[in-house]
PDB file of all heavy atoms in Angstrom:
ATOM      1  N   ILE A   1       3.267   0.060  -4.132  1.00  0.00           N
ATOM      2  CA  ILE A   1       4.192  -1.034  -4.327  1.00  0.00           C
ATOM      3  C   ILE A   1       5.534  -0.507  -4.859  1.00  0.00           C
ATOM      4  O   ILE A   1       6.615  -0.873  -4.372  1.00  0.00           O
ATOM      5  CB  ILE A   1       3.647  -2.113  -5.295  1.00  0.00           C
ATOM      6  CG1 ILE A   1       2.409  -2.785  -4.656  1.00  0.00           C
ATOM      7  CG2 ILE A   1       4.731  -3.129  -5.617  1.00  0.00           C
ATOM      8  CD1 ILE A   1       2.697  -3.492  -3.333  1.00  0.00           C
ATOM      9  N   TYR A   2       5.494   0.402  -5.828  1.00  0.00           N
ATOM     10  CA  TYR A   2       6.702   0.907  -6.419  1.00  0.00           C
ATOM     11  C   TYR A   2       7.407   1.961  -5.588  1.00  0.00           C
ATOM     12  O   TYR A   2       8.635   1.921  -5.376  1.00  0.00           O
ATOM     13  CB  TYR A   2       6.445   1.518  -7.826  1.00  0.00           C
ATOM     14  CG  TYR A   2       6.065   0.561  -8.896  1.00  0.00           C
ATOM     15  CD1 TYR A   2       5.017   0.800  -9.805  1.00  0.00           C
ATOM     16  CD2 TYR A   2       6.764  -0.632  -9.064  1.00  0.00           C
ATOM     17  CE1 TYR A   2       4.654  -0.093 -10.800  1.00  0.00           C
ATOM     18  CE2 TYR A   2       6.424  -1.521 -10.070  1.00  0.00           C
ATOM     19  CZ  TYR A   2       5.370  -1.244 -10.903  1.00  0.00           C
ATOM     20  OH  TYR A   2       5.044  -2.118 -11.935  1.00  0.00           O
ATOM     21  N   ASP A   3       6.594   2.874  -5.028  1.00  0.00           N
ATOM     22  CA  ASP A   3       7.148   4.068  -4.415  1.00  0.00           C
ATOM     23  C   ASP A   3       7.053   4.059  -2.886  1.00  0.00           C
ATOM     24  O   ASP A   3       7.705   4.860  -2.200  1.00  0.00           O
ATOM     25  CB  ASP A   3       6.495   5.327  -4.984  1.00  0.00           C
ATOM     26  CG  ASP A   3       6.581   5.369  -6.494  1.00  0.00           C
ATOM     27  OD1 ASP A   3       7.610   4.984  -7.054  1.00  0.00           O
ATOM     28  OD2 ASP A   3       5.543   5.781  -7.132  1.00  0.00           O
ATOM     29  N   GLY A   4       6.155   3.220  -2.348  1.00  0.00           N
ATOM     30  CA  GLY A   4       6.009   3.199  -0.892  1.00  0.00           C
ATOM     31  C   GLY A   4       5.012   4.184  -0.377  1.00  0.00           C
ATOM     32  O   GLY A   4       4.789   4.294   0.835  1.00  0.00           O
ATOM     33  N   TYR A   5       4.363   4.943  -1.268  1.00  0.00           N
ATOM     34  CA  TYR A   5       3.373   5.900  -0.814  1.00  0.00           C
ATOM     35  C   TYR A   5       2.372   6.084  -1.945  1.00  0.00           C
ATOM     36  O   TYR A   5       2.566   5.646  -3.080  1.00  0.00           O
ATOM     37  CB  TYR A   5       4.001   7.273  -0.474  1.00  0.00           C
ATOM     38  CG  TYR A   5       4.691   7.898  -1.655  1.00  0.00           C
ATOM     39  CD1 TYR A   5       4.013   8.772  -2.542  1.00  0.00           C
ATOM     40  CD2 TYR A   5       6.054   7.707  -1.872  1.00  0.00           C
ATOM     41  CE1 TYR A   5       4.630   9.323  -3.598  1.00  0.00           C
ATOM     42  CE2 TYR A   5       6.696   8.286  -2.971  1.00  0.00           C
ATOM     43  CZ  TYR A   5       6.001   9.103  -3.820  1.00  0.00           C
ATOM     44  OH  TYR A   5       6.588   9.675  -4.915  1.00  0.00           O
ATOM     45  N   TYR A   6       1.281   6.772  -1.673  1.00  0.00           N
ATOM     46  CA  TYR A   6       0.291   7.072  -2.727  1.00  0.00           C
ATOM     47  C   TYR A   6      -0.388   8.457  -2.392  1.00  0.00           C
ATOM     48  O   TYR A   6      -0.316   8.893  -1.250  1.00  0.00           O
ATOM     49  CB  TYR A   6      -0.798   6.016  -2.799  1.00  0.00           C
ATOM     50  CG  TYR A   6      -1.776   6.007  -1.626  1.00  0.00           C
ATOM     51  CD1 TYR A   6      -3.033   6.607  -1.756  1.00  0.00           C
ATOM     52  CD2 TYR A   6      -1.428   5.414  -0.435  1.00  0.00           C
ATOM     53  CE1 TYR A   6      -3.928   6.630  -0.720  1.00  0.00           C
ATOM     54  CE2 TYR A   6      -2.338   5.413   0.644  1.00  0.00           C
ATOM     55  CZ  TYR A   6      -3.555   6.030   0.515  1.00  0.00           C
ATOM     56  OH  TYR A   6      -4.432   6.040   1.557  1.00  0.00           O
ATOM     57  N   TYR A   7      -0.859   9.071  -3.424  1.00  0.00           N
ATOM     58  CA  TYR A   7      -1.566  10.339  -3.244  1.00  0.00           C
ATOM     59  C   TYR A   7      -2.925  10.097  -2.670  1.00  0.00           C
ATOM     60  O   TYR A   7      -3.764   9.427  -3.262  1.00  0.00           O
ATOM     61  CB  TYR A   7      -1.647  11.074  -4.630  1.00  0.00           C
ATOM     62  CG  TYR A   7      -2.454  12.362  -4.473  1.00  0.00           C
ATOM     63  CD1 TYR A   7      -1.948  13.450  -3.804  1.00  0.00           C
ATOM     64  CD2 TYR A   7      -3.719  12.425  -5.101  1.00  0.00           C
ATOM     65  CE1 TYR A   7      -2.694  14.631  -3.684  1.00  0.00           C
ATOM     66  CE2 TYR A   7      -4.474  13.608  -5.037  1.00  0.00           C
ATOM     67  CZ  TYR A   7      -3.958  14.677  -4.341  1.00  0.00           C
ATOM     68  OH  TYR A   7      -4.691  15.821  -4.211  1.00  0.00           O
ATOM     69  N   HIS A   8      -3.142  10.597  -1.450  1.00  0.00           N
ATOM     70  CA  HIS A   8      -4.403  10.316  -0.751  1.00  0.00           C
ATOM     71  C   HIS A   8      -5.603  10.742  -1.555  1.00  0.00           C
ATOM     72  O   HIS A   8      -6.430   9.958  -1.974  1.00  0.00           O
ATOM     73  CB  HIS A   8      -4.401  11.031   0.633  1.00  0.00           C
ATOM     74  CG  HIS A   8      -4.283  10.091   1.760  1.00  0.00           C
ATOM     75  ND1 HIS A   8      -5.364   9.355   2.213  1.00  0.00           N
ATOM     76  CD2 HIS A   8      -3.227   9.720   2.519  1.00  0.00           C
ATOM     77  CE1 HIS A   8      -4.970   8.606   3.254  1.00  0.00           C
ATOM     78  NE2 HIS A   8      -3.673   8.798   3.418  1.00  0.00           N
ATOM     79  N   GLY A   9      -5.731  12.033  -1.767  1.00  0.00           N
ATOM     80  CA  GLY A   9      -6.883  12.538  -2.495  1.00  0.00           C
ATOM     81  C   GLY A   9      -8.194  12.130  -1.808  1.00  0.00           C
ATOM     82  O   GLY A   9      -8.238  11.831  -0.657  1.00  0.00           O
ATOM     83  N   ASP A  10      -9.207  12.063  -2.598  1.00  0.00           N
ATOM     84  CA  ASP A  10     -10.562  11.636  -2.147  1.00  0.00           C
ATOM     85  C   ASP A  10     -10.862  10.314  -2.796  1.00  0.00           C
ATOM     86  O   ASP A  10     -11.440  10.261  -3.893  1.00  0.00           O
ATOM     87  CB  ASP A  10     -11.550  12.738  -2.492  1.00  0.00           C
ATOM     88  CG  ASP A  10     -12.975  12.327  -2.010  1.00  0.00           C
ATOM     89  OD1 ASP A  10     -13.038  11.491  -1.110  1.00  0.00           O
ATOM     90  OD2 ASP A  10     -13.944  12.812  -2.582  1.00  0.00           O
ATOM     91  N   ASN A  11     -10.475   9.228  -2.167  1.00  0.00           N
ATOM     92  CA  ASN A  11     -10.752   7.939  -2.731  1.00  0.00           C
ATOM     93  C   ASN A  11     -11.411   7.026  -1.697  1.00  0.00           C
ATOM     94  O   ASN A  11     -11.183   7.172  -0.516  1.00  0.00           O
ATOM     95  CB  ASN A  11      -9.522   7.271  -3.349  1.00  0.00           C
ATOM     96  CG  ASN A  11      -8.578   6.826  -2.253  1.00  0.00           C
ATOM     97  OD1 ASN A  11      -8.749   5.711  -1.687  1.00  0.00           O
ATOM     98  ND2 ASN A  11      -7.519   7.589  -1.965  1.00  0.00           N
ATOM     99  N   LYS A  12     -12.198   6.100  -2.173  1.00  0.00           N
ATOM    100  CA  LYS A  12     -12.973   5.231  -1.291  1.00  0.00           C
ATOM    101  C   LYS A  12     -12.269   3.891  -1.042  1.00  0.00           C
ATOM    102  O   LYS A  12     -12.777   3.034  -0.326  1.00  0.00           O
ATOM    103  CB  LYS A  12     -14.366   4.987  -1.875  1.00  0.00           C
ATOM    104  CG  LYS A  12     -14.302   4.172  -3.176  1.00  0.00           C
ATOM    105  CD  LYS A  12     -15.718   3.939  -3.728  1.00  0.00           C
ATOM    106  CE  LYS A  12     -15.715   3.075  -4.957  1.00  0.00           C
ATOM    107  NZ  LYS A  12     -17.047   2.832  -5.472  1.00  0.00           N
ATOM    108  N   PHE A  13     -11.088   3.706  -1.660  1.00  0.00           N
ATOM    109  CA  PHE A  13     -10.499   2.373  -1.642  1.00  0.00           C
ATOM    110  C   PHE A  13      -9.689   2.109  -0.392  1.00  0.00           C
ATOM    111  O   PHE A  13      -9.868   1.057   0.249  1.00  0.00           O
ATOM    112  CB  PHE A  13      -9.594   2.207  -2.883  1.00  0.00           C
ATOM    113  CG  PHE A  13     -10.355   2.318  -4.148  1.00  0.00           C
ATOM    114  CD1 PHE A  13     -10.038   3.319  -5.104  1.00  0.00           C
ATOM    115  CD2 PHE A  13     -11.407   1.444  -4.500  1.00  0.00           C
ATOM    116  CE1 PHE A  13     -10.732   3.454  -6.264  1.00  0.00           C
ATOM    117  CE2 PHE A  13     -12.083   1.579  -5.671  1.00  0.00           C
ATOM    118  CZ  PHE A  13     -11.757   2.548  -6.572  1.00  0.00           C
ATOM    119  N   PHE A  14      -8.785   2.971  -0.028  1.00  0.00           N
ATOM    120  CA  PHE A  14      -7.836   2.683   0.982  1.00  0.00           C
ATOM    121  C   PHE A  14      -8.390   2.971   2.376  1.00  0.00           C
ATOM    122  O   PHE A  14      -7.855   3.819   3.087  1.00  0.00           O
ATOM    123  CB  PHE A  14      -6.477   3.341   0.723  1.00  0.00           C
ATOM    124  CG  PHE A  14      -5.679   2.627  -0.300  1.00  0.00           C
ATOM    125  CD1 PHE A  14      -4.672   3.274  -1.000  1.00  0.00           C
ATOM    126  CD2 PHE A  14      -5.952   1.304  -0.642  1.00  0.00           C
ATOM    127  CE1 PHE A  14      -3.931   2.629  -1.949  1.00  0.00           C
ATOM    128  CE2 PHE A  14      -5.203   0.635  -1.573  1.00  0.00           C
ATOM    129  CZ  PHE A  14      -4.174   1.274  -2.241  1.00  0.00           C
ATOM    130  N   VAL A  15      -9.443   2.300   2.700  1.00  0.00           N
ATOM    131  CA  VAL A  15      -9.939   2.321   4.056  1.00  0.00           C
ATOM    132  C   VAL A  15      -9.000   1.417   4.873  1.00  0.00           C
ATOM    133  O   VAL A  15      -8.178   0.706   4.341  1.00  0.00           O
ATOM    134  CB  VAL A  15     -11.365   1.813   4.179  1.00  0.00           C
ATOM    135  CG1 VAL A  15     -12.341   2.806   3.475  1.00  0.00           C
ATOM    136  CG2 VAL A  15     -11.497   0.413   3.568  1.00  0.00           C
ATOM    137  N   SER A  16      -9.098   1.435   6.167  1.00  0.00           N
ATOM    138  CA  SER A  16      -8.057   0.869   7.053  1.00  0.00           C
ATOM    139  C   SER A  16      -7.685  -0.560   6.749  1.00  0.00           C
ATOM    140  O   SER A  16      -6.523  -0.913   6.622  1.00  0.00           O
ATOM    141  CB  SER A  16      -8.490   0.994   8.508  1.00  0.00           C
ATOM    142  OG  SER A  16      -9.757   0.312   8.715  1.00  0.00           O
ATOM    143  N   ASP A  17      -8.700  -1.477   6.606  1.00  0.00           N
ATOM    144  CA  ASP A  17      -8.406  -2.866   6.395  1.00  0.00           C
ATOM    145  C   ASP A  17      -7.677  -3.127   5.079  1.00  0.00           C
ATOM    146  O   ASP A  17      -6.719  -3.898   5.025  1.00  0.00           O
ATOM    147  CB  ASP A  17      -9.728  -3.719   6.426  1.00  0.00           C
ATOM    148  CG  ASP A  17     -10.277  -3.799   7.789  1.00  0.00           C
ATOM    149  OD1 ASP A  17      -9.576  -3.506   8.781  1.00  0.00           O
ATOM    150  OD2 ASP A  17     -11.509  -4.134   7.927  1.00  0.00           O
ATOM    151  N   LEU A  18      -8.136  -2.467   4.033  1.00  0.00           N
ATOM    152  CA  LEU A  18      -7.582  -2.666   2.691  1.00  0.00           C
ATOM    153  C   LEU A  18      -6.106  -2.071   2.673  1.00  0.00           C
ATOM    154  O   LEU A  18      -5.193  -2.707   2.173  1.00  0.00           O
ATOM    155  CB  LEU A  18      -8.393  -2.038   1.629  1.00  0.00           C
ATOM    156  CG  LEU A  18      -8.016  -2.282   0.159  1.00  0.00           C
ATOM    157  CD1 LEU A  18      -7.970  -3.786  -0.112  1.00  0.00           C
ATOM    158  CD2 LEU A  18      -9.032  -1.653  -0.782  1.00  0.00           C
ATOM    159  N   LEU A  19      -5.940  -0.918   3.227  1.00  0.00           N
ATOM    160  CA  LEU A  19      -4.649  -0.314   3.280  1.00  0.00           C
ATOM    161  C   LEU A  19      -3.674  -1.174   4.083  1.00  0.00           C
ATOM    162  O   LEU A  19      -2.489  -1.323   3.759  1.00  0.00           O
ATOM    163  CB  LEU A  19      -4.743   1.106   3.893  1.00  0.00           C
ATOM    164  CG  LEU A  19      -3.404   1.930   3.914  1.00  0.00           C
ATOM    165  CD1 LEU A  19      -2.891   2.130   2.527  1.00  0.00           C
ATOM    166  CD2 LEU A  19      -3.748   3.300   4.539  1.00  0.00           C
ATOM    167  N   HIS A  20      -4.154  -1.753   5.171  1.00  0.00           N
ATOM    168  CA  HIS A  20      -3.323  -2.629   6.017  1.00  0.00           C
ATOM    169  C   HIS A  20      -2.829  -3.830   5.189  1.00  0.00           C
ATOM    170  O   HIS A  20      -1.650  -4.170   5.280  1.00  0.00           O
ATOM    171  CB  HIS A  20      -4.143  -3.100   7.160  1.00  0.00           C
ATOM    172  CG  HIS A  20      -3.401  -4.129   8.005  1.00  0.00           C
ATOM    173  ND1 HIS A  20      -2.408  -3.853   8.902  1.00  0.00           N
ATOM    174  CD2 HIS A  20      -3.581  -5.494   8.089  1.00  0.00           C
ATOM    175  CE1 HIS A  20      -1.949  -4.968   9.437  1.00  0.00           C
ATOM    176  NE2 HIS A  20      -2.676  -5.954   8.967  1.00  0.00           N
ATOM    177  N   LEU A  21      -3.671  -4.403   4.372  1.00  0.00           N
ATOM    178  CA  LEU A  21      -3.315  -5.547   3.561  1.00  0.00           C
ATOM    179  C   LEU A  21      -2.256  -5.205   2.522  1.00  0.00           C
ATOM    180  O   LEU A  21      -1.314  -5.941   2.275  1.00  0.00           O
ATOM    181  CB  LEU A  21      -4.539  -6.160   2.906  1.00  0.00           C
ATOM    182  CG  LEU A  21      -5.485  -6.954   3.817  1.00  0.00           C
ATOM    183  CD1 LEU A  21      -6.779  -7.279   3.053  1.00  0.00           C
ATOM    184  CD2 LEU A  21      -4.812  -8.210   4.311  1.00  0.00           C
ATOM    185  N   VAL A  22      -2.477  -4.052   1.849  1.00  0.00           N
ATOM    186  CA  VAL A  22      -1.542  -3.624   0.816  1.00  0.00           C
ATOM    187  C   VAL A  22      -0.169  -3.326   1.405  1.00  0.00           C
ATOM    188  O   VAL A  22       0.891  -3.685   0.855  1.00  0.00           O
ATOM    189  CB  VAL A  22      -2.045  -2.405   0.033  1.00  0.00           C
ATOM    190  CG1 VAL A  22      -1.008  -1.921  -0.967  1.00  0.00           C
ATOM    191  CG2 VAL A  22      -3.357  -2.738  -0.670  1.00  0.00           C
ATOM    192  N   ARG A  23      -0.174  -2.669   2.578  1.00  0.00           N
ATOM    193  CA  ARG A  23       1.114  -2.370   3.253  1.00  0.00           C
ATOM    194  C   ARG A  23       1.754  -3.687   3.709  1.00  0.00           C
ATOM    195  O   ARG A  23       3.017  -3.769   3.723  1.00  0.00           O
ATOM    196  CB  ARG A  23       0.885  -1.431   4.401  1.00  0.00           C
ATOM    197  CG  ARG A  23       0.637   0.008   3.920  1.00  0.00           C
ATOM    198  CD  ARG A  23       0.441   0.951   5.032  1.00  0.00           C
ATOM    199  NE  ARG A  23       0.412   2.352   4.576  1.00  0.00           N
ATOM    200  CZ  ARG A  23      -0.129   3.377   5.165  1.00  0.00           C
ATOM    201  NH1 ARG A  23      -0.722   3.183   6.354  1.00  0.00           N
ATOM    202  NH2 ARG A  23      -0.057   4.594   4.717  1.00  0.00           N
ATOM    203  N   ALA A  24       0.981  -4.655   4.114  1.00  0.00           N
ATOM    204  CA  ALA A  24       1.522  -5.987   4.509  1.00  0.00           C
ATOM    205  C   ALA A  24       2.251  -6.631   3.329  1.00  0.00           C
ATOM    206  O   ALA A  24       3.289  -7.240   3.432  1.00  0.00           O
ATOM    207  CB  ALA A  24       0.504  -6.856   5.095  1.00  0.00           C
ATOM    208  N   LEU A  25       1.590  -6.543   2.115  1.00  0.00           N
ATOM    209  CA  LEU A  25       2.169  -7.068   0.928  1.00  0.00           C
ATOM    210  C   LEU A  25       3.453  -6.283   0.578  1.00  0.00           C
ATOM    211  O   LEU A  25       4.476  -6.922   0.200  1.00  0.00           O
ATOM    212  CB  LEU A  25       1.206  -6.966  -0.238  1.00  0.00           C
ATOM    213  CG  LEU A  25       1.674  -7.385  -1.640  1.00  0.00           C
ATOM    214  CD1 LEU A  25       2.086  -8.851  -1.591  1.00  0.00           C
ATOM    215  CD2 LEU A  25       0.578  -7.174  -2.649  1.00  0.00           C
ATOM    216  N   LYS A  26       3.484  -5.001   0.688  1.00  0.00           N
ATOM    217  CA  LYS A  26       4.662  -4.211   0.451  1.00  0.00           C
ATOM    218  C   LYS A  26       5.799  -4.636   1.335  1.00  0.00           C
ATOM    219  O   LYS A  26       6.951  -4.822   0.916  1.00  0.00           O
ATOM    220  CB  LYS A  26       4.351  -2.725   0.669  1.00  0.00           C
ATOM    221  CG  LYS A  26       5.551  -1.780   0.586  1.00  0.00           C
ATOM    222  CD  LYS A  26       6.202  -1.716  -0.758  1.00  0.00           C
ATOM    223  CE  LYS A  26       7.324  -0.733  -0.824  1.00  0.00           C
ATOM    224  NZ  LYS A  26       8.030  -0.762  -2.126  1.00  0.00           N
ATOM    225  N   ARG A  27       5.513  -4.888   2.637  1.00  0.00           N
ATOM    226  CA  ARG A  27       6.576  -5.311   3.578  1.00  0.00           C
ATOM    227  C   ARG A  27       7.060  -6.722   3.208  1.00  0.00           C
ATOM    228  O   ARG A  27       8.231  -7.033   3.343  1.00  0.00           O
ATOM    229  CB  ARG A  27       6.004  -5.317   4.983  1.00  0.00           C
ATOM    230  CG  ARG A  27       5.797  -3.920   5.594  1.00  0.00           C
ATOM    231  CD  ARG A  27       5.593  -4.006   7.101  1.00  0.00           C
ATOM    232  NE  ARG A  27       4.366  -4.786   7.430  1.00  0.00           N
ATOM    233  CZ  ARG A  27       3.134  -4.270   7.538  1.00  0.00           C
ATOM    234  NH1 ARG A  27       2.986  -2.945   7.321  1.00  0.00           N
ATOM    235  NH2 ARG A  27       2.099  -4.996   7.838  1.00  0.00           N
ATOM    236  N   ASN A  28       6.118  -7.573   2.772  1.00  0.00           N
ATOM    237  CA  ASN A  28       6.471  -8.931   2.352  1.00  0.00           C
ATOM    238  C   ASN A  28       7.537  -8.942   1.251  1.00  0.00           C
ATOM    239  O   ASN A  28       8.411  -9.790   1.290  1.00  0.00           O
ATOM    240  CB  ASN A  28       5.179  -9.650   1.923  1.00  0.00           C
ATOM    241  CG  ASN A  28       5.458 -11.132   1.580  1.00  0.00           C
ATOM    242  OD1 ASN A  28       6.089 -11.446   0.583  1.00  0.00           O
ATOM    243  ND2 ASN A  28       4.929 -11.999   2.431  1.00  0.00           N
ATOM    244  N   ILE A  29       7.419  -8.067   0.282  1.00  0.00           N
ATOM    245  CA  ILE A  29       8.313  -8.121  -0.895  1.00  0.00           C
ATOM    246  C   ILE A  29       9.482  -7.195  -0.768  1.00  0.00           C
ATOM    247  O   ILE A  29      10.370  -7.195  -1.628  1.00  0.00           O
ATOM    248  CB  ILE A  29       7.527  -7.846  -2.187  1.00  0.00           C
ATOM    249  CG1 ILE A  29       7.045  -6.383  -2.229  1.00  0.00           C
ATOM    250  CG2 ILE A  29       6.362  -8.826  -2.364  1.00  0.00           C
ATOM    251  CD1 ILE A  29       6.435  -5.964  -3.554  1.00  0.00           C
ATOM    252  N   GLU A  30       9.504  -6.350   0.281  1.00  0.00           N
ATOM    253  CA  GLU A  30      10.602  -5.321   0.387  1.00  0.00           C
ATOM    254  C   GLU A  30      11.986  -5.947   0.323  1.00  0.00           C
ATOM    255  O   GLU A  30      12.859  -5.394  -0.229  1.00  0.00           O
ATOM    256  CB  GLU A  30      10.378  -4.492   1.643  1.00  0.00           C
ATOM    257  CG  GLU A  30       9.519  -3.263   1.488  1.00  0.00           C
ATOM    258  CD  GLU A  30       9.410  -2.481   2.703  1.00  0.00           C
ATOM    259  OE1 GLU A  30       9.647  -2.994   3.816  1.00  0.00           O
ATOM    260  OE2 GLU A  30       9.013  -1.292   2.609  1.00  0.00           O
ATOM    261  N   ASN A  31      12.168  -7.058   1.011  1.00  0.00           N
ATOM    262  CA  ASN A  31      13.465  -7.681   1.122  1.00  0.00           C
ATOM    263  C   ASN A  31      13.536  -8.989   0.298  1.00  0.00           C
ATOM    264  O   ASN A  31      14.261  -9.893   0.669  1.00  0.00           O
ATOM    265  CB  ASN A  31      13.848  -7.917   2.545  1.00  0.00           C
ATOM    266  CG  ASN A  31      14.017  -6.629   3.292  1.00  0.00           C
ATOM    267  OD1 ASN A  31      14.692  -5.710   2.867  1.00  0.00           O
ATOM    268  ND2 ASN A  31      13.327  -6.531   4.452  1.00  0.00           N
ATOM    269  N   GLN A  32      12.749  -9.051  -0.806  1.00  0.00           N
ATOM    270  CA  GLN A  32      12.810 -10.215  -1.641  1.00  0.00           C
ATOM    271  C   GLN A  32      13.185  -9.791  -3.054  1.00  0.00           C
ATOM    272  O   GLN A  32      12.943  -8.685  -3.512  1.00  0.00           O
ATOM    273  CB  GLN A  32      11.460 -10.955  -1.666  1.00  0.00           C
ATOM    274  CG  GLN A  32      11.044 -11.551  -0.318  1.00  0.00           C
ATOM    275  CD  GLN A  32       9.982 -12.583  -0.474  1.00  0.00           C
ATOM    276  OE1 GLN A  32      10.244 -13.721  -0.868  1.00  0.00           O
ATOM    277  NE2 GLN A  32       8.751 -12.224  -0.100  1.00  0.00           N
ATOM    278  N   PHE A  33      13.818 -10.744  -3.767  1.00  0.00           N
ATOM    279  CA  PHE A  33      14.349 -10.478  -5.108  1.00  0.00           C
ATOM    280  C   PHE A  33      14.017 -11.724  -5.959  1.00  0.00           C
ATOM    281  O   PHE A  33      14.174 -12.854  -5.491  1.00  0.00           O
ATOM    282  CB  PHE A  33      15.847 -10.245  -5.068  1.00  0.00           C
ATOM    283  CG  PHE A  33      16.285  -9.201  -4.112  1.00  0.00           C
ATOM    284  CD1 PHE A  33      16.602  -9.532  -2.789  1.00  0.00           C
ATOM    285  CD2 PHE A  33      16.410  -7.855  -4.518  1.00  0.00           C
ATOM    286  CE1 PHE A  33      17.002  -8.564  -1.881  1.00  0.00           C
ATOM    287  CE2 PHE A  33      16.838  -6.911  -3.591  1.00  0.00           C
ATOM    288  CZ  PHE A  33      17.101  -7.260  -2.301  1.00  0.00           C
TER     289      PHE A  33
END
């Protein structure tokens, strides 16, 4: 959310569906104030 990227590493969280949702949220707020 803050930086637009994350350190991949070995994590079980950002599988495709979840990562897609977080990126959709990031896009949603990118041009909002």
Side-chain angles (χ1 to χ4, degrees):
I1 295 300
Y2 290 136
D3 307 320
Y5 62 87
Y6 72 99
Y7 174 69
H8 249 282
D10 179 22
N11 72 81
K12 66 179 183 180
F13 300 118
F14 282 159
V15 293
S16 59
D17 289 343
L18 189 55
L19 184 57
H20 173 77
L21 287 170
V22 176
R23 285 179 171 161
L25 177 60
K26 173 65 176 174
R27 288 193 299 271
N28 183 290
I29 66 172
E30 270 180 341
N31 295 310
Q32 295 198 77
F33 306 89

